[in-house]
Amino acid sequence: MAKTKKSKAAKKKAVTTKKTAPVKKADMESTVKKAIVSIQPEPIKAIVPVEAMVKAIQPVANADKPARDISYDPQAIEKKWREKWEEDKLYRSVIDESRPKHYALTMLPYTSGDLHFGHWYPMAPSDARARFKRMNGYNVLFPIGFDAFGLPAENAAIKRGIHPKEWTYKNIDNMRRQLKGMGTMFDWEREAISADIEYYKWTQWFFIQLFKHGLAYRKMAAVDWCPKDNTTLAREQVVGENRVCERCGTPVIKKDLEQWFFRSTKYADELLRFDGIDWPERVKTLQTNWIGRSEGASVIFKTEAGDDIEIFTTRPDTLWGATFMVFSPEHPLVDKITTPEQKSVLDEYKIQAARESDIEREAVGGEKTGVFTGSYAINPVNNERIPIWIADYVLMSYGTGAIMAVPAHDERDFAFAKKYALPIVEVIRPDGGSEAEEDDPSTGSGQRMQAAYIGPGVMVNSDPFNGTKVNTEKGRKNPGIAAVIDWLEAQGIGKESVNYRYRDWLISRQRYWGAPIPMVYCKTHGWNPVPEDQLPVTLPDDVEWKPTGESPLKLHPSWKNATCPICGEPAVRETDTMDTFMCSSWYHLRYLSPDYDKGPFDEAEYNYWMPVDTYTGGIEHATMHLLYTRFFHKAMRDAGIVEGNEPMMQLRNQGIILGEDNEKMSKSRGNVVAPDELVAMYGADALRAYLMFAYRWQEGGLWNSNGIEGTFRWLRRVWTIFTESGDSSRRIAIASDSPATASDETKRTLRRRVHQTLRRVSGDFEQFEFNTIVSSLMELLNEMYKAREAGAAGTPEWKEATEIYLKMLAPIAPHIAEELWTNQLGRPYSVHQQPWPKVDEAAAKEDVIELPVQINGRVRDRITVPVEASEEEIRSAALASEVVQKYLEGRQPKKVILAHRRLVSIVV
RNA sequence: GCCGGAGUGGCGGAAUUGGCAGACGCGCACGACUCAAAAUCGUGUUCCCUACGGGAAUGAGGGUUCGAUUCCCUCCUUCGGCACCA
């Protein structure tokens, strides 16, 4: 596709260069394209002077008709109005008990340097919707800030040799300017930056609250380590089947380290419930799968020496079929139970398993390997003596690190048993299966089984449960499993149990650019939090922040020296910093009162604004930020700091805008389109409208720079109809005393279209259907051109149409709407403070309805009847139609169906 | 393998949730204006045929229905997530 376009453009270019045209559009286009698509490490600069490009695409006022002022110059009006709005504090949000509040939140940007479509695409429609809500009488809070700590800032700073702080704050200045250029209604007085001392002081304070409530703890564990970024990562930040670092794509390795964790798993069950919140099913599913709840039972097996071996199983109904046990190579009992003659084989296997990365393990193609320990366990349900093996398909990180193996009814155990010739005992027989069928490979038992059977059936070889029916339900919903669990509990050898894939949140980072963890270690008193009145623990500027593999703060000569808050003796600070996702777990609270210094937020502001009513942002955060912030809120609720069970009531995710090459936009791929260039050419209004119009917002898609011409033309046509309304110039748009030449029918139709559009647009804003909002407004404009042609200009209906039109346009294209409202219509400033118009249902109603008439499922004719026509009248009108009579050929119709007064269907 | 999105003209997409498939826009073609170009305005634009008429078509095939892009079944493609989870 790209190829074809290129060659077309090249052809065009060849043609135009032959002639000596003063303005060569093809030339200009290709130059611009080059400018915005090429690989540019620095913020992209225009190759062609911006003014020249803008002039080139502006319609030049025709010298013959000086009265016609049709030059829509977005650059001029956009800048003018933004300055005016800022000066007037038009978007300042303050508590107002007399109005309902609406907290609209869009995910805060990371301070990566440039605002790109990844920012515009969610923000522009979110801004439009926030404006819509405001016009609908809500006191809207729509704040913005910056996620300023973290690895990317530090890595970029290292690459450029400047301090992360300097790099970050420079980027913030640039991004703030760009954000303002979008024409958003952000309340800049509520801006919050996570790297500000006043901000991270409270991030640290929250850490201490978590610690005090037993939700922050330090433990030695095998953790994920990114060898490129030189830091540990949370489980959520290791992605993909190759288990790579979420930030840099490097495969992670396991390291045994003592780290700080948040006890997020305590909330696993509550995080699975989404009661009372309106979140997309997709996000709920992702989070549910991530938490990975499994119901089953824990059962205590014993070694022959009498040690307990706890295992977890989702299939306690198959306990009688456990013919061996498998331990993870790292299981603590392994050394103890290994017999002397097996020791050397086992040690070798363990070393090999430890050396192999997860990828290499998988590369074997699922082939299972293992080694016999030489020891045996006793199966508590039937006292069978069964061998204990170790194998790396059993993970220490899930369950107890030991499993009972039931080869007859588990595929992995089956493969393992076949490979090492271990016994296979059938304990679930398929419905209808019998002894006689035992030779049938699919239902037979013993070594004749060809595959594990995992379907429903009847328990066999399982005294005292023989004959018990088992289905495929999980947990207690399965009667067979429920019966076995009850029995296990009565026998005292097991109990109902639940396991999760979800892990506690590892928050230590061995990096400089983050909020220091406010903990101090004393030889006598261990780890204690820095007293709250001594916060913040300030991040020092004079640190060798370049990577060494050690935490940079550790290398500072004096920073880590502290005193123990208990005894006052010398102690050392924690030198790790916090995961930046901790900073972003509470930013929506800092927006409430960014300058407040008596706490993380002002309670009065909290009580008025929280919870967040509408949250918009990317789905890529489903199992990271969106899960962290829910955990954080619930933990702080239990600490008595916040209220309610959920922080964000409604969530909507936009899709991703990919580069023209179907790849995610990134500088390294060279497929980044810079919004600044398009703003310079078409204005922020056209770009906002284009981003709303071009895609289903939830889906996203491939970027296409050409399409913006369409929304730009639309806005220019809007401009034209408001500024050029015939002989009597601009007054005609609002005048009601001009001679109205339009027929009643024209005026009636105009009003109908206006109110129908208003109804549609209002509903679509609520539903986040942004593309049809713009298309409806385009359609209405086309109708207005027709109405003007028919002499509607100057009528009261025209006046109403123009006013409603600009109000509907205001959230989408705020600048042009303001200019036309205030300066062309001469209506009171500002259009953004106008109430949203009300639908006049009577006006929106149709006088007549046109119904298609189907004969045997095919549309053959259309009839027009008055809206108030009875069903009987519609039927006879349909049958009276000449076309219908022709098709009937004198026969009587079998059936005449009138569907919702929308269609007549005749069956012959 | 499991879970979840999505498949509609050359392209982005619409279709009041079972009722006229292709709104709106891009692109393209032709026309008007122009010495000419750009811009603008107008007309046309799913495909096929023997063309003022008729037929086919919403990833493929089947089903329910007077009627299916929409509901059900079986596949296919594609995107995302999880994955030796016991």
Side-chain angles (χ1 to χ4, degrees), chain A residues 540 542-543 553-562 571-573 575:
Chain A
D542 57 334
V543 162
L553 292 178
K554 206 177 246 176
L555 306 176
H556 190 280
S558 59
W559 185 82
K560 62 176 178 286
N561 299 329
V572 284
R573 288 188 192 288
T575 52

Side-chain angles (χ1 to χ4, degrees), chain A residues 102-221:
Chain A
H102 181 83
Y103 189 170
L105 182 66
T106 189
M107 286 182 189
L108 85 176
Y110 190 78
T111 51
S112 55
D114 264 309
L115 213 64
H116 49 76
F117 285 109
H119 301 114
W120 275 78
Y121 185 62
M123 281 181 191
S126 299
D127 176 67
R129 195 169 184 279
R131 289 172 175 278
F132 166 78
K133 283 284 181 186
R134 184 171 129 132
M135 291 175 81
N136 275 277
Y138 289 92
N139 186 20
V140 174
L141 173 59
F142 187 54
I144 191 73
F146 297 95
D147 185 16
F149 269 141
L151 284 173
E154 204 172 343
N155 290 342
I158 287 162
K159 207 167 135 195
R160 289 169 172 75
I162 58 169
H163 197 284
K165 189 178 195 172
E166 192 192 332
W167 187 82
T168 300
Y169 280 83
K170 230 184 218 168
N171 285 343
I172 290 175
D173 286 342
N174 185 45
M175 291 174 79
R176 195 187 283 124
R177 177 189 60 78
Q178 291 177 306
L179 281 165
K180 288 184 175 178
M182 288 172 70
T184 48
M185 59 168 280
F186 291 128
D187 177 358
W188 287 98
E189 289 185 42
R190 290 179 182 271
E191 181 195 70
I193 300 171
S194 66
D196 281 355
I197 291 177
E198 303 76 39
Y199 186 108
Y200 72 72
K201 171 184 177 177
W202 297 107
T203 307
Q204 293 174 336
W205 182 86
F206 277 119
F207 180 98
I208 293 170
Q209 306 316 306
L210 287 161
F211 179 80
K212 285 183 173 168
H213 287 84
L215 294 170
Y217 66 95
R218 196 177 157 90
K219 78 164 178 195
M220 173 67 89

Side-chain angles (χ1 to χ4, degrees), chain A residues 179-346:
Chain A
L179 281 165
K180 288 184 175 178
M182 288 172 70
T184 48
M185 59 168 280
F186 291 128
D187 177 358
W188 287 98
E189 289 185 42
R190 290 179 182 271
E191 181 195 70
I193 300 171
S194 66
D196 281 355
I197 291 177
E198 303 76 39
Y199 186 108
Y200 72 72
K201 171 184 177 177
W202 297 107
T203 307
Q204 293 174 336
W205 182 86
F206 277 119
F207 180 98
I208 293 170
Q209 306 316 306
L210 287 161
F211 179 80
K212 285 183 173 168
H213 287 84
L215 294 170
Y217 66 95
R218 196 177 157 90
K219 78 164 178 195
M220 173 67 89
V223 296
D224 295 307
W225 171 273
C226 173
K228 181 152 177 263
D229 286 332
N230 280 311
T231 184
T232 51
L233 298 169
R235 179 65 192 83
E236 288 79 16
Q237 292 153 33
V238 177
V239 297
E241 56 184 320
N242 296 339
R243 293 181 44 78
V244 299
C245 168
E246 182 253 339
R247 299 257 54 133
C248 70
T250 308
V252 300
I253 57 172
K254 286 279 182 198
K255 263 196 177 184
D256 285 317
L257 288 171
E258 210 180 287
Q259 300 278 291
W260 287 100
F261 291 84
F262 287 152
R263 211 177 293 282
S264 45
T265 52
K266 185 185 168 190
Y267 292 90
D269 272 325
E270 203 193 330
L271 288 167
L272 286 169
R273 293 199 300 271
F274 299 90
D275 304 337
I277 56 173
D278 171 18
W279 280 34
E281 285 304 319
R282 216 167 141 198
V283 174
K284 292 196 239 176
T285 307
L286 286 171
Q287 293 199 347
T288 302
N289 290 346
W290 183 258
I291 292 167
R293 185 178 203 271
S294 294
E295 291 176 19
S298 75
V299 184
I300 310 288
F301 283 57
K302 281 196 190 302
T303 63
E304 286 189 299
D307 291 304
D308 282 353
I309 310 165
E310 189 183 355
I311 60 107
F312 171 76
T313 177
T314 54
R315 294 293 307 273
D317 52 318
T318 64
L319 264 163
W320 288 261
T323 52
F324 60 100
M325 297 194 81
V326 187
F327 285 13
S328 158
E330 300 91 26
H331 194 280
L333 267 179
V334 170
D335 284 337
K336 189 171 175 189
I337 61 169
T338 303
T339 56
E341 51 275 21
Q342 293 297 99
K343 192 175 184 314
S344 60
V345 200
L346 248 81

Side-chain angles (χ1 to χ4, degrees), chain A residues 13 70 107 146 167 212 256 365 374 381 434 461 555 576 741 746 847 893:
Chain A
K13 191 175 171 179
I70 55 159
M107 286 182 189
F146 297 95
W167 187 82
K212 285 183 173 168
D256 285 317
V381 301
S434 66
N461 299 322
L555 306 176
D576 286 349
T741 56
T746 298
D847 295 331

Side-chain angles (χ1 to χ4, degrees), chain A residues 580-596:
Chain A
T580 177
F581 279 109
M582 173 63 180
C583 309
S584 56
S585 289
W586 73 282
Y587 75 104
H588 55 285
L589 298 174
R590 194 62 191 165
Y591 285 156
L592 300 173
S593 48
D595 301 323
Y596 193 68

Side-chain angles (χ1 to χ4, degrees), chain A residues 35 74 85 159 161 176 182 219 257 266 292 406 470 497 526 544 576 606 690 693 716 726 744-745 750 801 803 880:
Chain A
W85 295 332
K159 207 167 135 195
R176 195 187 283 124
M182 288 172 70
K219 78 164 178 195
L257 288 171
K266 185 185 168 190
V406 183
V470 179
S497 173
E544 182 50 69
D576 286 349
Y606 184 96
Y690 180 56
F693 175 64
R716 189 157 51 190
D744 286 350
E745 181 54 30
L750 177 62
E803 291 188 8

